[in-house]
Amino acid sequence: MKPVKWGIISTANIGVAKVIPGMLKSKDLEIVAISSRKLKTAQEWAGKLGIPKAYGSYEEMLADPEIEAVYNPLPNHLHVPLTLAAAKAGKHVLCEKPIAISAKEAMQLRRAPKNVFIAEAFMVRYATQWLAARDLVRKKKIGDVRAIQVMFSYFNRDPKNVRNMADIGGGGMLDIGCYPITTARFIFDAEPVRVTATIDRDPKFGTDRLAGGLADFGDGRHLSFTVSTQLAPYQRVNIMGTKGRIEIEIPFNAPPDKPNRYFVQGMDMNVGEWTELPVSDQYQLQAEAFGRVIRKKQKPVWGVDDAIQNMKILDAFFRSEKSRKWEKP
């Protein structure tokens, strides 16, 4: 496959620390440019990462005819505006999650040119341990899956961090609550029919710092989760079936330099086997899959409509916070 030529919008930490290093491992793509609002910053990171071009504005990079696709890791409130700007410039866009702050905002992306592919950057859909878990579920290895339980937390009270700025889409639900929702949809291969939430907000920031959610997927299946921006760092997923369970270790921040592991238990409590998978980088796999869609080597699976659906579910959780009732996405 002819390598896809990429440009990076901004020097956000998720990009320079995780996504770009993963992408640089691939032979199926070339990162040809990185942009920042400050040329010096773009030049510094271009030098550190070995990227040929540096631009002092996003608009200047989007005008570069060499670039075919862009990765957008800007703060949440800038996801839709810059994704639309890139799409109108003829660039395919891999936009960091969440794709918007609300479903209404996300729907603006339907105005993008039809020949441009836009996808939300949920790297877990390409991670080897998640693909293995989904395969085991489909093969009924643990019987009928009835429950998925997720815990995901970190501690961050920095007032200058975008995750603690409510007016630009900060808070735990948009930052990490989107992961339980996405992965439950991925494993159940279904959509929730109703959701309910309990949310505690930081009195200073106004952001949701602790959220518990329950999503009813029908047919006796549900997702339950806790996410927090102010608890000890931890993450774990349990997929519970009628004949066993699958536990995914480090499900979201999977290490790119160590084997990823999952545990399969039968009907004896905590008796089972850990499986180690070959070392892989989920960000590399994500970018390569995106490139195959651009090159028409595979059909798109998750695009704008899927991203809007995810936002509708998040919106329903926030409505439930206020109504204290079940809400339909």
Side-chain angles (χ1 to χ4, degrees), residues 75-87:
N76 295 343
H77 70 301
L78 295 175
H79 284 177
V80 168
L82 265 296
T83 294
L84 280 175

Side-chain angles (χ1 to χ4, degrees), residues 43-305:
Q43 289 172 334
E44 287 175 354
W45 278 110
K48 290 178 182 178
L49 296 167
I51 298 173
K53 302 178 188 178
Y55 289 106
S57 75
Y58 308 141
E59 294 76 15
E60 189 179 3
M61 190 189 75
L62 294 178
D64 185 336
E66 185 181 15
I67 295 170
E68 300 173 86
V70 298
Y71 167 62
N72 177 5
L74 287 165
N76 295 343
H77 70 301
L78 295 175
H79 284 177
V80 168
L82 265 296
T83 294
L84 280 175
K88 290 176 182 176
K91 316 300 184 187
H92 305 279
V93 187
L94 178 63
C95 181
E96 195 51 68
K97 56 75 198 165
I99 207 159
I101 293 179
S102 68
K104 182 179 180 180
E105 185 189 32
M107 288 177 187
Q108 296 178 34
L109 296 172
R110 287 178 171 156
R111 303 202 305 259
K114 300 302 180 184
N115 62 334
V116 167
F117 180 49
I118 297 173
E120 196 169 15
F122 278 116
M123 70 293 178
V124 289
R125 290 167 167 164
Y126 311 95
T128 55
Q129 71 272 32
W130 278 102
L131 292 170
R134 185 176 65 166
D135 186 55
L136 292 173
V137 167
R138 288 177 170 178
K139 291 178 178 177
K140 301 286 187 178
K141 177 70 176 180
I142 58 171
D144 295 324
V145 173
R146 298 296 186 198
I148 298 174
Q149 185 184 57
V150 178
M151 181 75 195
F152 193 0
S153 59
Y154 59 81
F155 196 95
N156 184 336
R157 293 194 65 190
D158 179 3
K160 296 180 181 180
N161 191 286
V162 294
R163 293 165 184 80
N164 293 319
M165 300 178 183
D167 58 333
I168 62 171
M173 281 295 290
L174 287 176
D175 187 38
I176 54 178
C178 53
Y179 281 115
I181 295 167
T182 297
T183 52
R185 294 172 63 213
F186 184 73
I187 295 297
F188 282 135
D189 195 22
E191 303 294 342
V193 294
R194 57 177 184 161
V195 305
T196 187
T198 175
I199 293 176
D200 176 57
R201 292 186 175 271
D202 185 286
K204 180 180 179 181
F205 303 140
T207 54
D208 52 295
R209 61 182 178 183
L210 176 66
L214 184 65
D216 177 5
F217 277 79
D219 298 323
R221 303 170 298 173
H222 76 243
L223 159 72
S224 59
F225 66 88
T226 299
V227 295
S228 176
T229 61
Q230 294 182 23
L231 287 179
Y234 183 72
Q235 50 186 268
R236 192 60 59 92
V237 169
N238 270 295
I239 302 169
M240 307 297 295
T242 55
K243 295 181 180 179
R245 72 179 176 97
I246 301 170
E247 180 177 332
I248 300 178
E249 185 185 46
I250 320 179
F252 307 114
N253 296 128
D257 55 353
K258 298 177 183 178
N260 296 313
R261 303 199 309 163
Y262 63 89
F263 180 79
V264 180
Q265 173 194 312
M267 294 303 283
D268 294 320
M269 186 177 292
N270 293 330
V271 176
E273 181 179 0
W274 283 99
T275 296
E276 280 194 358
L277 297 167
V279 173
S280 64
D281 191 312
Q282 57 189 347
Y283 297 105
Q284 175 187 350
L285 298 173
Q286 173 181 245
E288 289 174 343
F290 189 90
R292 288 194 297 272
V293 172
I294 293 174
R295 291 285 182 259
K296 301 188 185 304
K297 299 291 185 180
Q298 71 179 50
K299 293 182 179 179
V301 180
W302 298 288
V304 168
D305 288 342

